[in-house]
Amino acid sequence: DAKTTQPNSMESNEEEPVHLPCNHSTISGTDYIHWYRQLPSQGPEYVIHGLTSNVNNRMASLAIAEDRKSSTLILHRATLRDAAVYYCILRFSGAGSYQLTFGKGTKLSVIP
Amino acid sequence: EPEVTQTPSHQVTQMGQEVILRCVPISNHLYFYWYRQILGQKVEFLVSFYNNEISEKSEIFDDQFSVERPDGSNFTLKIRSTKLEDSAMYFCASSEGRTLVQAQYFGPGTRLLVL
């Protein structure tokens, strides 16, 4: 199964853009890249997903490398409410499994 | 915006007692899940449920666990004889479908403490 690698922690200043990286060098051609986040004392929250093309939604943008071996979640303007653990998760095609497999994620701190 | 709700928010129980954790998934969702997170550790999958039966379960989900959809709105996780190591946050989630593009929507969790 393809694995993801994320930095343990990152810091950002409030109102600055944040780029959260994820490496997934063994990704298969039809595996989807999902991002979730977990605010303190809350359940995980879906952020965004993509396959090959860059994606935007109201929460964030997802930039996917051309070779798909890495991706970057972009928060365009960090707020204090964005302080959370961000998880990059691969959803495997053909595996017959629909569970989400969470790693340790990246803990984002936002400095006022 | 529709959301997954869970009750109770906190539950304290004695070792060996049975607990039932309750969840109300988003109303048009067909797939339901339980995950748990031991303090300071990763979120771990327990079980998925569709069409009134378990579709997938992890090694954690042993005979002491069971799930049920007793009516059209609730989804429950029962732990028959709790152990100290069952202390964790338990998250319910639901999804409209089960394809690789569909998100799972999580509830706020139930914090279970086994004494």
Side-chain angles (χ1 to χ4, degrees):
Chain A
D1 291 345
K3 298 282 189 273
T4 63
T5 305
Q6 299 177 253
N8 289 333
S9 62
M10 290 184 64
E11 272 188 359
S12 173
N13 293 316
E14 196 178 8
E15 299 189 6
E16 295 288 319
V18 183
H19 290 232
L20 297 160
C22 181
N23 287 319
H24 28 78
S25 58
T26 59
I27 191 170
S28 298
T30 51
D31 294 345
Y32 281 81
I33 302 158
H34 283 245
W35 284 80
Y36 282 73
R37 71 179 184 180
Q38 188 175 20
L39 299 164
S41 301
Q42 294 191 28
E45 175 186 28
Y46 167 78
V47 178
I48 200 166
H49 76 271
L51 181 62
T52 55
S53 305
N54 295 342
V55 185
N56 300 297
N57 67 19
R58 63 176 178 82
M59 289 181 72
S61 296
L62 177 59
I64 301 172
E66 203 169 323
D67 63 6
R68 299 205 336 119
K69 295 187 179 200
S70 65
S71 60
T72 303
L73 180 71
I74 303 165
L75 307 179
H76 294 286
R77 212 167 139 266
T79 68
L80 296 178
R81 199 194 171 275
D82 292 321
V85 179
Y86 286 78
Y87 302 101
C88 170
I89 297 172
L90 297 185
R91 300 207 64 187
F92 309 120
S93 59
S97 172
Y98 300 92
Q99 61 179 275
L100 294 173
T101 301
F102 290 83
K104 293 184 179 179
T106 297
K107 184 174 182 179
L108 175 67
S109 301
V110 179
I111 302 164
Chain B
E1 189 172 322
E3 58 183 19
V4 176
T5 59
Q6 291 186 243
T7 54
S9 58
H10 294 79
Q11 174 95 46
V12 180
T13 190
Q14 296 291 323
M15 190 170 56
Q17 295 296 305
E18 175 182 288
V19 294
I20 298 175
L21 310 183
R22 291 181 168 79
C23 168
V24 179
I26 294 172
S27 63
N28 64 332
H29 285 189
L30 300 176
Y31 297 88
F32 315 115
Y33 314 84
W34 284 100
Y35 291 80
R36 79 171 185 190
Q37 186 174 31
I38 295 170
L39 187 64
Q41 298 188 25
K42 301 177 191 178
V43 177
E44 301 173 289
F45 169 78
L46 292 178
V47 66
S48 64
F49 190 84
Y50 167 70
N51 200 24
N52 278 322
E53 55 183 38
I54 291 172
S55 48
E56 188 180 9
K57 61 182 181 179
S58 71
E59 290 178 355
I60 303 168
F61 193 88
D62 61 22
D63 291 344
Q64 70 161 340
F65 291 94
S66 62
V67 288
E68 192 179 29
R69 186 149 164 87
D71 54 43
S73 59
N74 290 285
F75 179 49
T76 62
L77 174 69
K78 182 191 291 186
I79 310 175
R80 258 181 275 283
S81 177
T82 50
K83 305 173 194 167
L84 296 176
E85 54 265 38
D86 294 328
S87 295
M89 282 289 287
Y90 288 81
F91 297 109
C92 173
S94 69
S95 65
E96 192 173 356
R98 208 173 54 166
T99 68
L100 295 175
V101 300
Q102 280 172 315
Q104 293 180 17
Y105 295 87
F106 286 75
T110 294
R111 183 174 297 281
L112 176 66
L113 179 60
V114 182
L115 301 176

